[in-house]
Amino acid sequence: MSEQRDALSERESEGVSRRRFIGWTLLGSLVATIGGVLTPIIAYIWPPPSEAAAGTDLKVEVGTLADFPLDSGKVVSVANKPVIVVNSQVGGLKAFSAVCTHLGCICYWHQERQVIQSPCHDGRFSPVNGHVIMGPPPRPIVEFRLEVEGETVYVEPRDEV
């Protein structure tokens, strides 16, 4: 009997026992699970500071006048948000949120119709004021402040889009 105990204690002293290995494995998986659950909660409670709040310029360069010829539209990024800059004969050079107010799809410029169009359910917006022309969007798209200095076009970021 004492030989069995000696053999058992000799095996345990050689390395980690199975029981201890399983215990450490379960503890590691528990810590990983808790970390995976808490990380998005903490990120939601303490979001990273936005670029505008960090003291960056209040306007973002989006191109030159040559990049926006008459009767055209182009989606650009302003503070990591999609913005569509349109140059129509009626409204001139304007900037609007490119996020559809219906389902959040990214809008584009429809050349033939001369409107800002959403691929979700054929929503259409006016290039003059961003109001809904047709389709299910419940409200107009948000207009951004646009400035032209010389040949350079700037758009001022907004928080509410």
Side-chain angles (χ1 to χ4, degrees):
M1 184 87 126
S2 67
E3 290 177 12
Q4 287 179 344
R5 286 185 192 160
D6 290 338
L8 182 62
S9 64
E10 187 177 309
R11 274 191 278 159
E12 287 179 0
S13 65
E14 289 177 8
V16 178
S17 69
R18 274 186 258 168
R19 181 173 290 186
R20 186 171 285 170
F21 174 76
I22 290 172
W24 282 107
T25 304
L26 289 174
L27 180 64
S29 65
L30 179 66
V31 169
T33 302
I34 291 171
V37 169
L38 288 180
T39 299
I41 294 171
I42 291 170
Y44 179 77
I45 293 171
W46 289 292
S50 66
E51 289 181 25
T56 59
D57 290 338
L58 292 179
K59 55 187 177 181
V60 176
E61 182 180 338
V62 294
T64 64
L65 288 175
D67 295 329
F68 307 104
L70 194 59
D71 295 328
S72 72
K74 181 179 177 183
V75 177
V76 296
S77 178
V78 175
N80 294 326
K81 295 179 182 168
V83 173
I84 186 164
V85 179
V86 296
N87 191 359
S88 66
Q89 289 184 3
V90 178
L93 196 60
K94 300 266 181 129
F96 299 97
S97 170
V99 179
C100 178
T101 57
H102 178 232
L103 292 177
C105 300
I106 304 301
C107 298
Y108 64 95
W109 177 252
H110 194 287
Q111 187 65 36
E112 290 79 36
R113 294 185 180 126
Q114 296 289 302
V115 295
I116 300 168
Q117 185 159 349
S118 172
C120 333
H121 304 108
D122 199 28
R124 298 179 193 168
F125 301 93
S126 167
V128 176
N129 54 19
H131 288 136
V132 178
I133 296 173
M134 184 181 118
R139 60 189 182 282
I141 50 179
V142 177
E143 186 171 357
F144 281 66
R145 188 163 179 257
L146 183 137
E147 288 182 23
V148 178
E149 293 179 7
E151 290 291 311
T152 308
V153 179
Y154 296 95
V155 174
E156 196 172 295
R158 293 181 67 136
D159 287 333
E160 65 278 352
V161 176

